[in-house]
Structure formats: C-alpha cells, structure tokens
Amino acid sequence: MKGRISLDGHQFANEHEYKRYLGIRELTRTGRLSRFEVKPSFPLIVNEVLVDTYTPTFKFLDPAKNEERIIQVMVSGIKNPLLELRIKLFEALYGFHIERW
C-alpha cells in the first residue's frame, strides 16, 4: 500500500500510520486503552492570538500508566521543521509530552 489509506472514516498519510492505527484500535477493543481519538485538533493560541493548529496522529488514555498519551507518527528519515515547531509550541502551551513513534 502506498499513499493515502482510508479506514473507519479516517485518512492515513502512509502505511506506517495505518498500521499503528490498527494496533491501537485493537488495544482499545480489548480494553487495554480507552478514549481513543484519531487526529484530534488543538489550537495553538499565544497572547490570545490563534497562531496555528496542531493535529497529532493519536490520543488515548493508557489505564496501565493512568495517563493520557499523545502520539505523533513520524516517517523515519524525513525531517519536518514546521511539525517540530508545532510540537514544541503544543508542549509549551498544554504541558503534555508528545511521543514520537
């Protein structure tokens, strides 16, 4: 599979993202994860000005760790400075660490 992939009403940019979705979806079905969201959107507001929006790949609650986890699926070998800037701004504004998979 190359290019965009659609499943369950979600669009995935590549096969790597799609396979991660399948794994997390299965963990959610078995009850090991909950509150699973695909591509949630977060406004990046600085001094009451909407600067940008950050959309990580996944967000879910991990009951084993009792924490909310936010995941950005990365394609290895490809650098995206704008994405890295959005992640840093999100982490500063929301106080969450973004896991890069």
Side-chain angles (χ1 to χ4, degrees):
M1 284 185 240
K2 295 205 182 226
R4 293 203 170 273
I5 302 165
S6 296
L7 181 67
D8 299 338
H10 303 292
Q11 288 262 24
F12 301 99
N14 53 54
E15 188 173 359
H16 185 65
E17 204 174 89
Y18 167 77
K19 286 182 177 180
R20 293 289 187 170
Y21 169 76
L22 292 177
I24 295 170
R25 183 181 71 172
E26 184 59 28
L27 291 172
T28 302
R29 284 186 182 169
T30 61
R32 293 181 59 197
L33 300 175
S34 63
R35 298 195 323 226
F36 179 38
E37 294 180 50
V38 178
K39 299 192 179 184
S41 185
F42 297 91
L44 301 175
I45 299 171
V46 178
N47 295 331
E48 299 179 26
V49 175
L50 178 63
V51 175
D52 204 341
T53 301
Y54 173 57
T55 306
T57 314
F58 307 116
K59 177 182 166 193
F60 54 83
L61 178 66
D62 185 344
K65 293 183 177 184
N66 195 30
E67 68 181 19
E68 203 164 51
R69 295 173 63 188
I70 300 175
I71 310 300
Q72 180 67 54
V73 175
M74 309 291 283
V75 178
S76 64
I78 297 176
K79 296 196 184 259
N80 186 335
L82 184 56
L83 176 59
E84 288 299 327
L85 183 61
R86 283 185 183 119
I87 290 171
K88 285 181 183 179
L89 185 54
F90 172 86
E91 289 175 333
L93 291 171
Y94 287 88
F96 274 95
H97 170 72
I98 300 297
E99 294 179 49
R100 291 162 176 84
W101 289 2

